[in-house]
């Protein structure tokens, strides 16, 4: 039967055509539109129809309240100082950068300090250096009493400072502050870790330039 | 020839699939989280000694403070609900990890270790051990609040650490009017370090002397 | 077509369902035990080694017991034993269990008052082991007739974290071949002490009857 390949292909084409005709004939207008739309998207594949949507972060403005995870969050200001509360730079010549935020947990359950830390990644252009660990984790202190608030209970306004160590050579007057998206993990089926927690996948929701003040006044 | 009962038949396959389906349905429908794993709640009020099987618990006093005096004073974002309690383990050395305040709206609040307060405490049989929990809470959490104390941890939201175990739920007895008074008060409290329940006065005198 | 040697109608009818599945029915409980065991690693990994769960020996009042157990040494005290299983043999004799009025003076800090509802007991032990035996996590427990285990906590009520060695010991390693210690334990004033248990955090312990 191999000698009849061309004739077979022709037959298959004609058969498909016949089937398509029959199917389209049996469809309502709405169905035709939907199927046509799907076919159209497929036709646009070479032009990037399936590329991930790149979300441009919304502008972050100091003093304006935004919603992140369980928090209503306001980035208040950024301060560079030689010493903040009991925190001092570990390396001589370095300084401290503090991003001061007002945060209020709108949920039903307390939120951990780490959830706030996840929401505000270390500013990339601020010359931040690691402290005792390799990670750029900030020290988080309450502005009112310079104690480490480890839990944000629901319904309370907390004014917190996230403090990083900064390279002493850094000398600019603005930093870029990002606020990352927090996603609620109801049941962790991926890693089998704790359920019911906030997790930052790393997507930036808000981004803004923040003037840096100098001095020790909190 | 093989016996018909030993072959893979449509009937046996169907039975197997149905059995698996029924087992899955049973596991999913079974009220595991809502009934079988529920903690045993022991209700009480301030001043009452509660028998939790593994320990005896008394919530002795409820106060509020805006500031907790200590070597590193702590300032409340709302007000500190300061709850004094004594624990006496009955079986052996026991750590009491669970402590949370549940307000009348169903919100939960966790304790702080700031200002010399404890988030959890241990005790052993033979004598009562006094400790102080401090919860930073908003004004609308005061009236009708209860405190939930247990050896099982509260940290996991599904309360897995308290499965089928005794949990004390103590009504703090705060009325709406008292809540306003407690909120207005601007007290500063110097939290006592944990110690023997009965030796409190002794230690205080020594501390002041 | 071949002729069958027997009558084909009789044989299958005699074998019932239970007989045909006998092998699987026997294997079913085995499978259940294996499944339960496979999901119970927490018991041997966390619960079993942490606490006194295995009675090595139970002796009468005045008799000497031998606490023999292997433990995993992380090398805090003796670096050459690091990450090895070490056999520890300690000979123990209860010299006395005495109810007293006051707690003895602690080595450091202020005197500790006796809280309401409790009475102090002093447990005296004679111990024997080869020198340089690691006695860290030494646990001395008084068992009351109320079922409570008194004195499990370390450090003890006077703040001593190494109850099996004389108060002036620098580290948890024994120095003499034989020595005596006295350890204070607070007990409910209504409880009657029935047993003394001795171990090193777990799982093995030895039990002494109290006269």
């Amino acid at each position: 039967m191999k000698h009849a390949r061309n004739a077979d292909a022709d037959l298959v084409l004609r058969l498909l055509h016949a089937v398509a005709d029959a199917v389209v004939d049996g469809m309502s207008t709405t169905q035709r539109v939907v199927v046509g739309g799907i076919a159209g998207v497929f036709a646009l594949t070479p032009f990037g129809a399936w590329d991930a949507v790149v979300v441009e972060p919304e502008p972050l403005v100091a003093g304006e309240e935004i919603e992140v995870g369980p928090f209503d969050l306001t980035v208040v200001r950024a301060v560079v100082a030689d010493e903040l509360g009991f925190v001092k730079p570990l390396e001589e010549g370095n300084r401290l950068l503090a991003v001061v935020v007002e945060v209020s947990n709108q949920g039903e359950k307390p939120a951990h300090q780490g959830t706030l830390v996840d929401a505000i990644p270390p500013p990339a252009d601020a010359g931040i250096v690691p402290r005792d660990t390799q990670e750029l984790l900030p020290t988080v202190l309450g502005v009112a009493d310079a104690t480490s608030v480890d839990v944000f209970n629901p319904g309370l306004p907390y004014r917190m400072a996230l403090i990083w160590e900064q390279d002493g050579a850094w000398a600019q007057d603005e930093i870029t502050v990002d606020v990352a998206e927090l996603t609620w993990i109801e049941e962790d089926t991926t890693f089998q870790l704790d359920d019911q927690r906030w997790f930052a996948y790393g997507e930036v929701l808000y981004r803004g330039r923040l003037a840096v003040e100098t001095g020790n006044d909190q | 020839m093989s016996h018909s009962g030993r072959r893979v038949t449509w009937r046996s396959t169907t039975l197997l699939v149905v059995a698996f389906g029924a087992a899955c349905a049973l596991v999913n429908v079974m009220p595991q989280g809502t009934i079988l794993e529920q903690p045993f709640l022991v209700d009480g009020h301030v001043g009452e000694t509660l028998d939790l099987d593994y320990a005896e618990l008394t919530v002795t006093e409820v106060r509020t403070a805006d500031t907790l005096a200590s070597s590193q004073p702590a300032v409340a974002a709302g007000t500190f609900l300061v709850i004094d309690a004594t624990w006496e383990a009955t079986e052996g050395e026991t750590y009491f990890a669970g402590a949370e305040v549940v307000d009348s709206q169903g919100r939960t609040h966790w304790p702080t270790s700031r200002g010399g307060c404890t988030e959890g405490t241990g005790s052993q049989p033979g004598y009562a051990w006094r400790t102080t929990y401090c919860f930073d809470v908003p004004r609308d959490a005061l009236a009708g609040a209860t405190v939930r104390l247990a050896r099982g941890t509260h940290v996991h939201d599904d309360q897995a650490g308290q499965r089928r175990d005794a949990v004390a739920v103590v009504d703090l007895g705060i009325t709406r009017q008292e809540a306003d008074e407690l909120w207005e008060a601007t007290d500063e409290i110097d939290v006592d370090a944990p110690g023997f329940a009965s030796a409190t006065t002794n230690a205080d005198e020594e501390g002041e002397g | 077509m071949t002729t069958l040697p027997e009558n084909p109608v009789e044989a299958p009818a005699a074998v019932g369902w239970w007989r045909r599945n006998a092998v699987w029915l026997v294997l079913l409980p085995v499978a259940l035990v294996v499944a339960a065991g496979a999901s119970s690693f927490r018991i041997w990994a966390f619960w079993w080694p942490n606490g006194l769960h295995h009675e090595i020996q139970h002796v009468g009042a005045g008799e000497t017991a031998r606490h023999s157990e292997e433990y995993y040494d992380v090398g805090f005290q003796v670096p050459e034993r690091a990450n090895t299983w070490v056999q520890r043999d300690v000979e123990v004799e209860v010299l006395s269990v005495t109810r007293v009025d006051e707690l003895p003076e602690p080595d450091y800090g202020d005197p500790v008052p006796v809280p309401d509802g409790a009475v102090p007991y002093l447990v005296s032990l004679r111990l024997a082991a080869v020198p340089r035996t690691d006695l860290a996590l030494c646990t001395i427990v008084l068992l009351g007739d109320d079922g409570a285990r008194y004195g499990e906590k370390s450090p003890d009520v006077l703040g001593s974290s190494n109850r099996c060695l004389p108060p002036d010991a620098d580290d948890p390693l024994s120095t003499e071949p034989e020595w005596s210690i006295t350890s204070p334990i607070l007990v409910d004033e209504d409880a009657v002490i029935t047993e003394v248990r001795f171990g090193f955090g777990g799982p093995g312990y030895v039990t002494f009857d109290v006269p």
Side-chain angles (χ1 to χ4, degrees), chain B residues 183-199:
Chain B
W183 179 261
E184 301 300 340
T186 53
D187 293 336
E188 179 175 303
I189 290 181
D190 195 349
V191 173
D192 290 331
F196 295 135
S198 56

PDB file of all heavy atoms in Angstrom, chain B residues 183-199:
ATOM      1  N   TRP B 183      -8.516  50.630  79.027  1.00  0.00           N
ATOM      2  CA  TRP B 183      -7.843  51.265  77.884  1.00  0.00           C
ATOM      3  C   TRP B 183      -7.346  52.662  78.272  1.00  0.00           C
ATOM      4  O   TRP B 183      -6.242  53.062  77.909  1.00  0.00           O
ATOM      5  CB  TRP B 183      -8.803  51.344  76.693  1.00  0.00           C
ATOM      6  CG  TRP B 183      -8.179  51.996  75.507  1.00  0.00           C
ATOM      7  CD1 TRP B 183      -8.328  53.290  75.114  1.00  0.00           C
ATOM      8  CD2 TRP B 183      -7.292  51.385  74.572  1.00  0.00           C
ATOM      9  NE1 TRP B 183      -7.582  53.520  73.992  1.00  0.00           N
ATOM     10  CE2 TRP B 183      -6.936  52.368  73.630  1.00  0.00           C
ATOM     11  CE3 TRP B 183      -6.763  50.105  74.447  1.00  0.00           C
ATOM     12  CZ2 TRP B 183      -6.073  52.116  72.571  1.00  0.00           C
ATOM     13  CZ3 TRP B 183      -5.899  49.840  73.383  1.00  0.00           C
ATOM     14  CH2 TRP B 183      -5.570  50.846  72.465  1.00  0.00           C
ATOM     15  N   GLU B 184      -8.163  53.409  79.037  1.00  0.00           N
ATOM     16  CA  GLU B 184      -7.779  54.769  79.410  1.00  0.00           C
ATOM     17  C   GLU B 184      -6.583  54.781  80.358  1.00  0.00           C
ATOM     18  O   GLU B 184      -5.767  55.693  80.330  1.00  0.00           O
ATOM     19  CB  GLU B 184      -8.961  55.497  80.078  1.00  0.00           C
ATOM     20  CG  GLU B 184     -10.214  55.619  79.219  1.00  0.00           C
ATOM     21  CD  GLU B 184      -9.986  56.378  77.922  1.00  0.00           C
ATOM     22  OE1 GLU B 184      -9.008  57.124  77.838  1.00  0.00           O
ATOM     23  OE2 GLU B 184     -10.797  56.189  76.989  1.00  0.00           O
ATOM     24  N   ALA B 185      -6.519  53.777  81.233  1.00  0.00           N
ATOM     25  CA  ALA B 185      -5.444  53.749  82.225  1.00  0.00           C
ATOM     26  C   ALA B 185      -4.087  53.749  81.536  1.00  0.00           C
ATOM     27  O   ALA B 185      -3.902  53.121  80.499  1.00  0.00           O
ATOM     28  CB  ALA B 185      -5.590  52.517  83.111  1.00  0.00           C
ATOM     29  N   THR B 186      -3.151  54.490  82.100  1.00  0.00           N
ATOM     30  CA  THR B 186      -1.822  54.573  81.485  1.00  0.00           C
ATOM     31  C   THR B 186      -0.782  54.016  82.451  1.00  0.00           C
ATOM     32  O   THR B 186       0.195  54.674  82.775  1.00  0.00           O
ATOM     33  CB  THR B 186      -1.474  56.030  81.135  1.00  0.00           C
ATOM     34  OG1 THR B 186      -1.657  56.822  82.308  1.00  0.00           O
ATOM     35  CG2 THR B 186      -2.341  56.556  80.016  1.00  0.00           C
ATOM     36  N   ASP B 187      -1.047  52.809  82.930  1.00  0.00           N
ATOM     37  CA  ASP B 187      -0.158  52.237  83.939  1.00  0.00           C
ATOM     38  C   ASP B 187       1.134  51.721  83.328  1.00  0.00           C
ATOM     39  O   ASP B 187       1.189  51.374  82.154  1.00  0.00           O
ATOM     40  CB  ASP B 187      -0.868  51.075  84.647  1.00  0.00           C
ATOM     41  CG  ASP B 187      -2.044  51.572  85.458  1.00  0.00           C
ATOM     42  OD1 ASP B 187      -2.004  52.754  85.824  1.00  0.00           O
ATOM     43  OD2 ASP B 187      -2.970  50.784  85.692  1.00  0.00           O
ATOM     44  N   GLU B 188       2.110  51.683  84.197  1.00  0.00           N
ATOM     45  CA  GLU B 188       3.360  51.017  83.841  1.00  0.00           C
ATOM     46  C   GLU B 188       3.499  49.845  84.803  1.00  0.00           C
ATOM     47  O   GLU B 188       3.306  49.994  86.002  1.00  0.00           O
ATOM     48  CB  GLU B 188       4.523  52.000  84.013  1.00  0.00           C
ATOM     49  CG  GLU B 188       5.851  51.371  83.693  1.00  0.00           C
ATOM     50  CD  GLU B 188       6.999  52.381  83.735  1.00  0.00           C
ATOM     51  OE1 GLU B 188       6.906  53.379  83.003  1.00  0.00           O
ATOM     52  OE2 GLU B 188       7.943  52.163  84.495  1.00  0.00           O
ATOM     53  N   ILE B 189       3.774  48.668  84.264  1.00  0.00           N
ATOM     54  CA  ILE B 189       3.875  47.487  85.119  1.00  0.00           C
ATOM     55  C   ILE B 189       5.290  46.941  85.046  1.00  0.00           C
ATOM     56  O   ILE B 189       5.872  46.813  83.965  1.00  0.00           O
ATOM     57  CB  ILE B 189       2.852  46.402  84.689  1.00  0.00           C
ATOM     58  CG1 ILE B 189       1.436  46.863  85.024  1.00  0.00           C
ATOM     59  CG2 ILE B 189       3.145  45.074  85.373  1.00  0.00           C
ATOM     60  CD1 ILE B 189       0.365  45.867  84.664  1.00  0.00           C
ATOM     61  N   ASP B 190       5.821  46.641  86.232  1.00  0.00           N
ATOM     62  CA  ASP B 190       7.116  45.986  86.306  1.00  0.00           C
ATOM     63  C   ASP B 190       6.838  44.494  86.503  1.00  0.00           C
ATOM     64  O   ASP B 190       6.400  44.088  87.575  1.00  0.00           O
ATOM     65  CB  ASP B 190       7.915  46.567  87.478  1.00  0.00           C
ATOM     66  CG  ASP B 190       9.378  46.202  87.389  1.00  0.00           C
ATOM     67  OD1 ASP B 190       9.715  45.339  86.547  1.00  0.00           O
ATOM     68  OD2 ASP B 190      10.175  46.765  88.160  1.00  0.00           O
ATOM     69  N   VAL B 191       7.014  43.723  85.473  1.00  0.00           N
ATOM     70  CA  VAL B 191       6.629  42.311  85.519  1.00  0.00           C
ATOM     71  C   VAL B 191       7.613  41.530  86.386  1.00  0.00           C
ATOM     72  O   VAL B 191       8.828  41.647  86.222  1.00  0.00           O
ATOM     73  CB  VAL B 191       6.607  41.731  84.087  1.00  0.00           C
ATOM     74  CG1 VAL B 191       6.387  40.234  84.120  1.00  0.00           C
ATOM     75  CG2 VAL B 191       5.520  42.407  83.272  1.00  0.00           C
ATOM     76  N   ASP B 192       7.040  40.757  87.336  1.00  0.00           N
ATOM     77  CA  ASP B 192       7.887  39.906  88.184  1.00  0.00           C
ATOM     78  C   ASP B 192       8.476  38.777  87.353  1.00  0.00           C
ATOM     79  O   ASP B 192       7.803  38.223  86.480  1.00  0.00           O
ATOM     80  CB  ASP B 192       7.049  39.285  89.310  1.00  0.00           C
ATOM     81  CG  ASP B 192       6.608  40.333  90.330  1.00  0.00           C
ATOM     82  OD1 ASP B 192       7.351  41.311  90.490  1.00  0.00           O
ATOM     83  OD2 ASP B 192       5.531  40.161  90.918  1.00  0.00           O
ATOM     84  N   ALA B 193       9.706  38.434  87.661  1.00  0.00           N
ATOM     85  CA  ALA B 193      10.294  37.266  87.012  1.00  0.00           C
ATOM     86  C   ALA B 193       9.528  36.024  87.461  1.00  0.00           C
ATOM     87  O   ALA B 193       9.005  35.992  88.576  1.00  0.00           O
ATOM     88  CB  ALA B 193      11.758  37.149  87.399  1.00  0.00           C
ATOM     89  N   PRO B 194       9.414  35.006  86.621  1.00  0.00           N
ATOM     90  CA  PRO B 194       8.715  33.787  87.027  1.00  0.00           C
ATOM     91  C   PRO B 194       9.331  33.205  88.302  1.00  0.00           C
ATOM     92  O   PRO B 194      10.539  33.346  88.523  1.00  0.00           O
ATOM     93  CB  PRO B 194       8.924  32.832  85.855  1.00  0.00           C
ATOM     94  CG  PRO B 194       9.228  33.705  84.686  1.00  0.00           C
ATOM     95  CD  PRO B 194       9.930  34.906  85.249  1.00  0.00           C
ATOM     96  N   GLY B 195       8.512  32.587  89.131  1.00  0.00           N
ATOM     97  CA  GLY B 195       9.042  32.025  90.381  1.00  0.00           C
ATOM     98  C   GLY B 195       8.004  31.180  91.087  1.00  0.00           C
ATOM     99  O   GLY B 195       6.923  30.938  90.552  1.00  0.00           O
ATOM    100  N   PHE B 196       8.340  30.719  92.312  1.00  0.00           N
ATOM    101  CA  PHE B 196       7.388  29.951  93.104  1.00  0.00           C
ATOM    102  C   PHE B 196       6.146  30.810  93.339  1.00  0.00           C
ATOM    103  O   PHE B 196       6.270  31.985  93.692  1.00  0.00           O
ATOM    104  CB  PHE B 196       7.980  29.590  94.470  1.00  0.00           C
ATOM    105  CG  PHE B 196       9.164  28.679  94.403  1.00  0.00           C
ATOM    106  CD1 PHE B 196      10.294  28.919  95.162  1.00  0.00           C
ATOM    107  CD2 PHE B 196       9.147  27.565  93.577  1.00  0.00           C
ATOM    108  CE1 PHE B 196      11.374  28.065  95.112  1.00  0.00           C
ATOM    109  CE2 PHE B 196      10.229  26.707  93.525  1.00  0.00           C
ATOM    110  CZ  PHE B 196      11.347  26.959  94.295  1.00  0.00           C
ATOM    111  N   ALA B 197       4.981  30.212  93.180  1.00  0.00           N
ATOM    112  CA  ALA B 197       3.745  30.977  93.344  1.00  0.00           C
ATOM    113  C   ALA B 197       3.612  31.526  94.758  1.00  0.00           C
ATOM    114  O   ALA B 197       3.206  32.656  94.957  1.00  0.00           O
ATOM    115  CB  ALA B 197       2.551  30.094  93.011  1.00  0.00           C
ATOM    116  N   SER B 198       3.983  30.741  95.743  1.00  0.00           N
ATOM    117  CA  SER B 198       3.764  31.133  97.127  1.00  0.00           C
ATOM    118  C   SER B 198       4.872  32.025  97.658  1.00  0.00           C
ATOM    119  O   SER B 198       4.701  32.682  98.664  1.00  0.00           O
ATOM    120  CB  SER B 198       3.682  29.889  98.001  1.00  0.00           C
ATOM    121  OG  SER B 198       4.873  29.137  97.817  1.00  0.00           O
ATOM    122  N   ALA B 199       6.002  32.061  96.966  1.00  0.00           N
ATOM    123  CA  ALA B 199       7.148  32.817  97.472  1.00  0.00           C
ATOM    124  C   ALA B 199       7.178  34.227  96.914  1.00  0.00           C
ATOM    125  O   ALA B 199       8.162  34.928  97.052  1.00  0.00           O
ATOM    126  CB  ALA B 199       8.445  32.091  97.134  1.00  0.00           C
TER     127      ALA B 199
END
